[in-house]
Amino acid sequence: WSSDVCSSDLIEDYNYKIKNVKFYSMTDRNADVWAENNNVDIKSLAFKIKSKDGQEADFQLNLLGAHNVRNILAAAVCAKYLGLSLSEISDACANIDPKRSGMEIKEGIDGLNVIDSTYSSNPTGIISHLEYLKLWPGKKIIIMPCLIELGKASKEMHEKIGKKIAEVCDLAIITTRDRFKDIKEGTVMTKEQPFTAIPYYARAHRGDSKMAVWLARHEKYGAPVPAPSIASMSTIRASHVQGSVG
């Protein structure tokens, strides 16, 4: 179990009922194993794992994203329970193929880098991969579909993803419509923001007078709506084709 997401009462309860439950943590030194000195780079991870019995080992991995520290901790607590030392676990982890980690960097032309996380089909994966994207300089673009099979949590999860996209990305291309509205609502940032109001007379030469300012009272009305264009109003049509082409 991850003690980062369990309450202390729940941990004590499980340890009382099931003696061999083990816990791992990113910060909690009361767990069976925990991580320290996390150093996350664009193309690698470096951290130390320590355990209750005094063992410790350095880990240097060619994996992408800080979320993989938690993944390694989960694997380490299981492997240690089965008899391996942290040093042996570190040596084994050094051989992990980064292509099997769920994310892969594909270099393009003119400095373009594509981070392929095609199999990130759950909210936690997408949020963690967006967090990794923050490490990269330059403009950031995400291309993704809406998620499916989230049940009652779908709206909340898509709004959460939208909020993270707004925090990290310069552009989002959502390829399906299922929950596009929820993602868009999540991108509206709710925080205090200073702004400058330009008096009318400075633009229209109306002379000195009081200025009326209209502000949105609800988040969904705070996002600017682009003017209609040929692209936004166009529809795709095709004539019926019989037989094969070619």
Side-chain angles (χ1 to χ4, degrees):
W1 285 77
S2 170
S3 60
D4 298 327
V5 296
C6 294
S7 67
S8 58
D9 292 339
L10 181 61
I11 291 173
E12 291 176 3
D13 186 46
Y14 268 100
N15 276 329
Y16 174 77
K17 291 181 177 179
I18 310 173
K19 300 299 183 182
N20 62 351
V21 169
K22 303 297 179 182
F23 292 91
Y24 63 91
S25 173
M26 296 287 284
T27 55
D28 183 10
R29 298 189 178 188
N30 292 318
D32 293 283
V33 298
W34 65 91
E36 292 184 0
N37 305 328
N38 298 339
N39 184 13
V40 183
D41 199 356
I42 286 177
K43 295 186 178 181
S44 65
L45 296 173
F47 54 95
K48 183 187 292 290
I49 291 183
K50 293 185 177 182
S51 63
K52 261 185 178 179
D53 60 6
Q55 290 188 33
E56 62 178 66
D58 292 319
F59 286 68
Q60 182 75 42
L61 310 173
N62 294 321
L63 297 178
L64 310 180
H67 58 281
N68 278 309
V69 177
R70 194 181 302 276
N71 294 339
I72 294 298
L73 280 168
V77 76
C78 293
K80 195 171 185 309
Y81 177 74
L82 295 174
L84 294 178
S85 67
L86 287 181
S87 296
E88 292 173 319
I89 297 169
S90 175
D91 291 341
C93 288
N95 297 319
I96 296 176
D97 184 350
K99 291 182 179 180
R100 296 181 178 275
S101 68
M103 266 199 301
E104 182 182 359
I105 297 175
K106 298 180 179 179
E107 297 182 358
I109 60 175
D110 298 329
L112 173 68
N113 291 286
V114 177
I115 301 172
D116 183 358
S117 58
T118 307
Y119 295 102
S120 184
S121 57
N122 62 83
T124 303
I126 291 175
I127 295 294
S128 61
H129 290 178
L130 282 167
E131 191 65 32
Y132 164 72
L133 190 59
K134 289 169 64 175
L135 297 173
W136 286 80
K139 290 188 175 181
K140 305 172 182 68
I141 301 172
I142 182 171
I143 303 174
M144 62 166 283
C146 300
L147 305 184
I148 60 174
E149 299 179 352
L150 295 179
K152 295 180 179 179
S154 186
K155 178 177 174 59
E156 179 185 353
M157 290 295 100
H158 281 89
E159 288 180 352
K160 185 177 180 181
I161 290 170
K163 184 176 181 180
K164 196 67 177 179
I165 287 174
E167 177 188 330
V168 176
C169 300
D170 299 283
L171 175 65
I173 301 173
I174 310 301
T175 58
T176 56
R177 295 186 178 183
D178 311 48
R179 288 288 178 175
F180 174 76
K181 182 180 178 182
D182 298 330
I183 293 177
K184 187 176 180 180
E185 287 185 3
T187 60
V188 178
M189 302 296 286
T190 54
K191 63 179 181 180
E192 292 187 5
Q193 182 71 34
F195 71 97
T196 301
I198 302 174
Y200 294 141
Y201 72 84
R203 294 189 302 148
H205 307 290
R206 297 179 181 178
D208 294 338
S209 62
K210 292 183 178 181
M211 180 176 62
V213 179
W214 290 269
L215 298 176
R217 292 179 177 271
H218 192 279
E219 293 177 12
K220 67 179 180 180
Y221 300 121
V225 179
S229 64
I230 294 176
S232 66
M233 294 188 296
S234 62
T235 56
I236 300 174
R237 293 188 179 92
S239 59
H240 181 68
V241 178
Q242 291 184 342
S244 59
V245 178

